[in-house]
Amino acid sequence: MIRPPKRECSGRMEPGEDLVVAGYMGQKGTRELIRVFEKELSQWFSKRFLQEAVTEVQPDIASHLQKLMELGATETEPAGEGGIFKAIWDLSGAYRIGLTFFPRKIPVRQSTIEICERCGCNPYRLFCENCLVLAAENGGQIVEACADLGIPAAVIGHVEKGSVRKIRHGEETGYLERPGEDELYRVTKAGIFSDTL
């Protein structure tokens, strides 16, 4: 039995299209990790570093969505709870179509990487905001337009026939797993620093 899409498909997503991410992944989760574990994190990071990670902002992507659609974006999926991997999973699942992507091409701030490493969480499964996954006929145009608007963006892969969601790490290929609990919830419930301090 074929299940209906999880959400209404308002655009289109076809094999051969580029997969683009606009906006930094994991920023909302990073700010929350700092809020919850500021005392512990301050033992490794300066006050200035943590403050900049909290206050760093980028232009609002949603306000420029119409322009991106006019430039060839055919469908979008906002990244939120569950992180960028969940947004990619959901977009692919809505159209029952496959894709291949390179996680290391996804825009991310260095502060997110370092804080996630210290907290032992996966930045790809960390709460996002102001971040979109897009299918586009010409991803390069979308990236250029975002650069002009001050929005970080990158072509991270492409849409394919079938239903397999492939992850590429150099020459190695893995497969995207079904989304689970957001890393933010997992690490805050676990009290990650309680046994080490």
Side-chain angles (χ1 to χ4, degrees), residues 4-11 75-78 90-92 94-95:
K6 293 181 179 178
R7 64 164 175 79
E8 183 179 346
C9 299
S10 57
E75 184 59 284
T76 65
E77 180 74 29
D90 288 347
L91 182 60
S92 172
Y95 286 86

Side-chain angles (χ1 to χ4, degrees), residues 33 37 119-121 182-192:
L33 286 170
F37 299 115
C119 292
C121 67
D182 192 292
E183 286 286 87
L184 175 61
Y185 303 140
R186 183 184 66 79
V187 299
T188 53
K189 285 192 301 187
I192 53 172

Side-chain angles (χ1 to χ4, degrees), residues 33-97:
L33 286 170
I34 293 170
R35 187 189 69 79
V36 174
F37 299 115
E38 183 176 8
K39 180 180 178 181
E40 292 86 353
L41 291 169
S42 65
Q43 298 188 35
W44 292 284
F45 304 109
S46 69
K47 184 175 181 180
R48 180 178 177 181
F49 177 90
L50 295 175
Q51 184 63 30
E52 288 179 351
V54 168
T55 58
E56 287 172 329
V57 295
Q58 66 186 28
D60 179 46
I61 297 171
S63 63
H64 300 289
L65 187 55
Q66 183 59 41
K67 179 176 181 179
L68 300 181
M69 300 301 280
E70 291 170 359
L71 289 171
T74 59
E75 184 59 284
T76 65
E77 180 74 29
E81 183 178 338
I84 195 70
F85 275 5
K86 182 178 186 302
I88 293 170
W89 176 279
D90 288 347
L91 182 60
S92 172
Y95 286 86
R96 301 187 188 92
I97 198 166

